[in-house]
Amino acid sequence: MGLTSGSTGLRAIDRGLVIKRQSAGDFVVALAGNPNVGKSTVFNGLTGLNQHTGNWPGKTVTSAQGRCVCGGNTYILVDIPGTYSLMAHSAEEEVARDFICFGGPDAVVVVCDATCLERNLNLVLQTMEITDRVVVCVNLMDEAKKKKIRIDLEGLSDKLGVPVVGTAARKKRSLDRIMQALEGLLSGETKSAPIKIRYTEPIEEAIALLEPLVRERAGGKIKPRWLSLKLLDGDETLLKALRENLGFDISEDGEIQKALERAWQLLTEKGIGREGLRDKIVSCLVLTAEAICLDTVSFEKIGYDATDRKIDRILTSRLTGFPIMLALLALIFWLTITGANYPSQLLSDLFFRLQDKLTEFFIYLNAPDWLHGVLVLGVYRVLAWVVSVMLPPMAIFFPLFTLLEDLGYLPRVAFNLDKYFKKCSACGKQALTMAMGFGCNAAGIVGCRIIDSPRERLIAIITNNFVPCNGRFPTLIAILTMFFVTSTGVRGSVVSTLLLTCLIVLGVIMTFVASKLLSITILKGLPSSFTLELPPYRRPQIGKVIVRSIFDRTLFVLGRAVTVAAPAGLVIWVMANFTVGGDTLLNRFSGFLDPFARLMGLDGVILMAFILGFPANEIVVPIMIMTYMSTGSILELDSLMELKQLFVDNGWTWITAVSTMLFSLMHWPCSTTCLTIKKETQSLKWTLISFAVPTILGIAVCIAFTSIARLFA
C-alpha cells in the first residue's frame, strides 16, 4: 500500500485548533504517545516533509499537522504533545487530553515503546476511556527483538479490545500497518470494544451515582463514565474545557452538585480523600497494564536491560556521574572551540571580500560617504561579524547536543542535578533547559516548556542566562587565552577549554544561587514532583540529528540574531562617527560610564561595549577594539597578542580580565533572548525581571571581586 504526502490547510481559533479539511471525507487522526517512543519518526514517516507547525492556541506547546493519502482516503494527522498521561499535570497533558476529547478526531493512534510496553500502556488505557476509536502502534519492535523481548500482538489486541500493530518506524514500509488498521477501524470492518477498567468498589459506586446524570447532560458527545471519574477528580482545567467546548457548566447544575456531594460522602466514609483518589485511579491503571503485559509480553533474557543499568550505575553514580558529565561538557566545548576556528575565518574572509565588492559598487554609484558608512561599514559589517562568529560554533554545538539527546544521556544529566535543584525549590528538568542554553539562551528559554509548574518554569527562564551561550564564548575564550594561557597549539586549546569549563561551573553555581533566591522571595513555593524517564540508550540517527539541529535550532537562532544585529550596526556606526564638542558619541558615552565601571573592575569602554552588544554578544570585543583604536567601524586584529597589547596599553590588568569574564558570564540577556522571554511568558514584567536578576547579581559579584582583589594586589 503506497503513501503520498502533502500539506494541509489549517487555521486556529481561540477555542482550539480547527482543521480545515480539503474535502468532507478527510479523516482526522490524533497521534499520541509517551516521550522517546519514536512518535515523531512515525509522524514524519507517514506525512513526509510537507507539514504545518505552530503553537496550540493560547499555549506555548508546539503542534504539528500533516497529510497522507492511503487507499483512496485522505488522513490529516495531528501530532499531539508527547505525554505520560492525560491527567493534565502540565500544559502538554492538557492539550493532548482536550484535543482527544473536544478536537473531534476520527481516531487516535497511540505509539508505544516495545521495550517498555507496560509503562506505555498507562496512556493507552486512559485514551481508551475517552474514545473507542483507538489503534495501538507498538513501535521499536526491532529493538525489542534485539533485546529478546517477544510481544503477542494478537493477544494484546484481544486483551485491549482495539487494533494493535507492530512497527519499526525507521523502516517506513512497516508504517503501512498503521494505515491498514486505521482503514479497517474507520470503515467499520474492524470492531472495537475497549477493555473496561475496574476501579476499587468505593470508586465504582461513586461513578455509578454520577454516570446517569452525566450521560443525560453530555448528550453522547463524551463518554459519561470517564467524565464522571474526572468530575470526582475535580480537575479545574477540564471543567473550563467543558464550559468552552460543550457549554456544560457543572457549577450551575444543582443535580450534579448534589450527586457529587453524595459521591464524596461515600468515598470519605470508605477512607478515600481527594489526594488519595488520584493515587487509587493511577494504581488501578498500573495494575491493569501489568496484568495485560503478564499474558502478552515475554522475555527470553530476563536481564535484557542489564547493559543499560550497568551504564546507568556509572553515569548516575555520585562518584563517577559528575566527573563524566564535566568531562563530556569539556569535550563538547573543545570540539566546538577548535572546530569553529577554521570555518569562522573562512566566513570572515568571504564576507570581507564581499564588503570590498560592495564598496566598489558604492564608489561606482558615486554614493555619499555617509551612506556607504551606514550600510556597509555599519549594518553589513556587524552582520558579517555576527554570522561568521556565531554560525560555526552553533553548527557544531547543536548537533553534538542533539546527539547526546538522541543517545539518551541528557535525562541522566537531569537525574544527577535533580536533588540540587530540589534544594533550591526548583525543578530537575531545569538541567535540560540549562544545557540547551549553552548553544543559545533563546533556545534554552523555549526549552523551558518541558517544565510543568508555572513557578518553576519562570525560575528556569529567569536563571537561564547564567550559562553562557556561544555568543559569549569568543569573548571568554579570547580573554582566557590572552591573560591566563601561556602555551599554544593543542595544549593551549585544552588549557583554555578547562578554564572555560571552570567558568561554566561557576555559572551553574550562580544558577543554583539565583534559583534559591527567587524561590524564597518573588517565586515562593515547594518543588513539584515530576516523572523523569531514563529512556534506553539508542543509536542516534546521525542524518536526522544534523538536519534537526541545523534547521530547528541553528538557523532559527541565527535568523533572530541577524534581525536584531542589523539595526545595532547602524546605531554603533552613528555613535562612532558623529561628534559632539570635538569628541564622538561613543567616547562621550564611555566617559560617562567610566566612574561606575571602575567600581566593577572594568572601564567605561568595556561597559559601553556590553550595552551596545545587547543585540548580539558577538560584537562586544569588536566594539572595544573600535573604541580603543578610535576607528569609525568594527574591525578585528590579526592576532591575540596584538589584541592583548591593545588592552594592556589601555589599562587592562588581570583584575580587569577576570571582572570582564565575570560580567560576560553574569549580565543581561541579549535582545534575541529578551524577545523570546516576552513571547514565552506573555509578560513585560517577567521579561524585565529576567533582565534585572542576572544584571544585578553580575554587578554585585564584579564589585565584590574587585574590592577583594585590590586589597591583595
Side-chain angles (χ1 to χ4, degrees):
M1 177 168 55
L3 300 176
T4 62
S5 305
S7 60
T8 61
L10 299 148
R11 59 188 177 89
I13 60 173
D14 291 339
R15 286 178 56 186
L17 193 72
V18 175
I19 299 172
K20 185 179 177 182
R21 292 175 169 86
Q22 293 187 341
S23 68
D26 290 356
F27 292 114
V28 177
V29 178
L31 198 64
N34 290 184
N36 303 307
V37 297
K39 182 166 67 74
S40 295
T41 309
V42 171
F43 176 75
N44 292 334
L46 290 173
T47 62
L49 296 176
N50 295 315
Q51 301 158 5
H52 172 93
T53 59
N55 278 351
W56 294 85
K59 303 285 180 188
T60 52
V61 177
T62 303
S63 71
Q65 299 85 25
R67 182 174 68 97
C68 70
V69 178
C70 175
N73 293 318
T74 299
Y75 298 85
I76 299 173
L77 300 184
V78 181
D79 186 14
I80 62 179
T83 177
Y84 292 102
S85 80
L86 297 175
M87 292 187 173
H89 289 111
S90 67
E92 284 79 9
E93 292 182 11
E94 185 185 333
V95 161
R97 180 204 63 197
D98 286 354
F99 187 75
I100 293 171
C101 286
F102 312 115
D106 296 292
V108 181
V109 175
V110 186
V111 182
C112 302
D113 183 345
T115 64
C116 46
L117 185 60
E118 185 178 315
R119 183 171 64 236
N120 286 209
L121 283 185
N122 181 24
L123 181 63
V124 173
L125 294 172
Q126 288 183 58
T127 305
M128 292 193 307
E129 285 191 299
I130 299 173
T131 176
D132 293 345
R133 298 184 301 276
V134 174
V135 171
V136 177
C137 165
V138 183
N139 192 32
L140 303 171
M141 289 293 286
D142 48 346
E143 291 194 20
K145 186 178 180 181
K146 287 178 190 173
K147 295 182 177 181
K148 308 258 196 258
I149 302 172
R150 293 181 180 174
I151 300 173
D152 177 4
L153 296 175
E154 286 188 18
L156 185 62
S157 179
D158 289 341
K159 292 278 183 185
L160 292 172
V162 297
V164 175
V165 297
T167 63
R170 293 182 184 183
K171 299 173 183 175
K172 192 174 178 182
R173 212 176 295 170
S174 70
L175 300 180
D176 288 354
R177 298 167 197 159
I178 298 175
M179 304 313 298
Q180 288 170 350
L182 278 172
E183 199 170 11
L185 183 68
L186 295 173
S187 67
E189 290 178 19
T190 305
K191 301 301 177 186
S192 178
I195 181 176
K196 182 180 178 182
I197 298 162
R198 293 294 305 176
Y199 295 100
T200 58
E201 200 58 40
I203 296 175
E204 288 292 342
E205 289 177 17
I207 291 172
L209 285 171
L210 283 167
E211 195 171 349
L213 287 171
V214 171
R215 180 178 286 107
E216 184 183 323
R217 305 298 192 277
K221 294 177 182 176
I222 197 164
K223 278 193 171 184
R225 175 179 168 82
W226 176 80
L227 185 52
S228 300
L229 190 66
K230 293 291 111 182
L231 292 180
L232 285 170
D233 190 28
D235 184 346
E236 288 297 328
T237 63
L238 179 64
L239 299 181
K240 180 184 175 184
L242 285 169
R243 284 194 299 272
E244 291 177 350
N245 292 279
L246 300 183
F248 180 14
D249 192 344
I250 183 176
S251 62
E252 296 180 359
D253 194 312
E255 283 188 88
I256 291 222
Q257 288 294 335
K258 287 179 184 177
L260 266 175
E261 286 176 19
R262 290 198 303 273
W264 267 111
Q265 186 179 356
L266 186 152
L267 289 170
T268 305
E269 287 172 0
K270 300 289 186 177
I272 300 175
R274 291 190 180 272
E275 291 296 323
L277 176 64
R278 186 168 285 198
D279 289 341
K280 289 192 177 295
I281 291 171
V282 171
S283 177
C284 290
L285 288 167
V286 169
L287 289 172
T288 304
E290 189 179 290
I292 291 170
C293 285
L294 201 61
D295 293 335
T296 57
V297 181
S298 59
F299 306 93
E300 189 175 312
K301 184 180 177 183
I302 299 300
Y304 70 94
D305 60 348
T307 303
D308 283 5
R309 302 290 75 82
K310 284 177 184 176
I311 297 172
D312 278 344
R313 277 194 289 273
I314 297 169
L315 294 182
T316 60
S317 161
R318 290 184 181 181
L319 273 177
T320 56
F322 282 94
I324 290 172
M325 195 165 62
L326 290 173
L328 273 174
L329 185 65
L331 177 63
I332 288 174
F333 287 147
W334 183 77
L335 289 171
T336 302
I337 293 164
T338 308
N341 286 336
Y342 186 65
S344 281
Q345 190 59 51
L346 280 178
L347 281 173
S348 179
D349 293 343
L350 173 67
F351 285 131
F352 279 95
R353 279 201 300 272
L354 184 57
Q355 178 187 301
D356 294 339
K357 298 294 182 185
L358 287 172
T359 299
E360 290 173 9
F361 178 68
F362 272 76
I363 292 171
Y364 173 76
L365 293 177
N366 291 318
D369 288 344
W370 67 264
L371 185 62
H372 171 261
V374 167
L375 295 180
V376 178
L377 301 181
V379 174
Y380 175 80
R381 188 168 278 193
V382 167
L383 285 176
W385 185 281
V386 169
V387 174
S388 61
V389 171
M390 195 175 182
L391 180 57
M394 282 201 301
I396 295 170
F397 179 86
F398 278 134
L400 289 174
F401 177 85
T402 311
L403 203 64
L404 291 180
E405 196 176 16
D406 263 29
L407 190 63
Y409 178 67
L410 289 185
R412 275 79 184 175
V413 173
F415 179 85
N416 288 337
L417 294 176
D418 179 49
K419 62 180 177 182
Y420 300 101
F421 278 110
K422 282 284 189 290
K423 287 178 181 178
C424 301
S425 297
C427 177
K429 288 182 183 177
Q430 191 173 333
L432 300 177
T433 66
M434 193 168 61
M436 292 176 73
F438 288 124
C440 174
N441 293 123
I445 299 302
V446 173
C448 291
R449 296 174 182 180
I450 66 173
I451 298 173
D452 303 335
S453 161
R455 183 189 73 86
E456 291 168 354
R457 193 181 309 127
L458 278 172
I459 289 175
I461 287 172
I462 294 168
T463 60
N464 192 266
N465 201 60
F466 287 108
V467 292
C469 63
N470 64 60
R472 285 180 273 173
F473 285 158
T475 302
L476 295 172
I477 293 162
I479 296 172
L480 279 170
T481 305
M482 287 187 294
F483 287 88
F484 303 102
V485 179
T486 55
S487 51
T488 57
V490 175
R491 184 179 176 185
S493 68
V494 169
V495 174
S496 292
T497 301
L498 292 176
L499 290 173
L500 179 63
T501 304
C502 292
L503 208 57
I504 300 305
V505 171
L506 175 61
V508 173
I509 292 169
M510 288 305 301
T511 301
F512 289 132
V513 170
S515 297
K516 185 64 179 177
L517 287 173
L518 288 167
S519 66
I520 60 175
T521 53
I522 60 174
L523 287 169
K524 290 181 180 178
L526 295 172
S528 63
S529 59
F530 69 96
T531 304
L532 178 62
E533 181 185 13
L534 295 183
Y537 295 100
R538 296 196 183 111
R539 185 182 63 195
Q541 295 175 281
I542 305 297
K544 289 187 178 179
V545 163
I546 292 171
V547 170
R548 194 164 85 239
S549 57
I550 295 295
F551 286 96
D552 291 355
R553 291 174 176 167
T554 303
L555 294 182
F556 167 76
V557 172
L558 186 67
R560 285 194 174 183
V562 164
T563 303
V564 294
L570 188 149
V571 171
I572 292 165
W573 187 88
V574 168
M575 290 186 69
N577 287 274
F578 278 72
T579 58
V580 176
D583 210 354
T584 65
L585 291 173
L586 214 56
N587 288 335
R588 285 191 169 274
F589 187 29
S590 63
F592 172 76
L593 295 171
D594 196 68
F596 179 70
R598 297 283 175 186
L599 286 174
M600 299 166 58
L602 312 175
D603 63 27
V605 170
I606 301 168
L607 185 54
M608 179 197 63
F610 278 111
I611 293 171
L612 294 180
F614 172 63
N617 286 298
E618 293 81 2
I619 60 177
V620 168
V621 171
I623 293 172
M624 290 184 204
I625 297 170
M626 178 177 72
T627 310
Y628 285 140
M629 296 183 73
S630 299
T631 59
S633 61
I634 282 179
L635 48 80
E636 60 177 323
L637 297 178
D638 291 333
S639 72
L640 284 179
M641 290 311 298
E642 288 182 37
L643 182 57
K644 181 181 179 182
Q645 192 58 51
L646 176 67
F647 285 172
V648 170
D649 289 345
N650 282 275
W652 277 53
T653 65
W654 71 273
I655 294 176
T656 315
V658 173
S659 296
T660 303
M661 287 191 295
L662 287 173
F663 196 63
S664 181
L665 186 70
M666 294 175 277
H667 74 292
W668 51 79
C670 70
S671 58
T672 304
T673 304
C674 287
L675 289 171
T676 306
I677 293 170
K678 175 64 171 65
K679 184 179 178 183
E680 293 296 305
T681 61
Q682 297 294 307
S683 165
L684 181 60
K685 168 190 164 185
W686 291 115
T687 305
L688 293 173
I689 289 173
S690 300
F691 184 94
V693 168
T695 303
I696 292 168
L697 283 174
I699 291 170
V701 168
C702 285
I703 291 174
F705 165 77
T706 302
S707 302
I708 295 168
R710 283 172 180 166
L711 288 175
F712 296 97

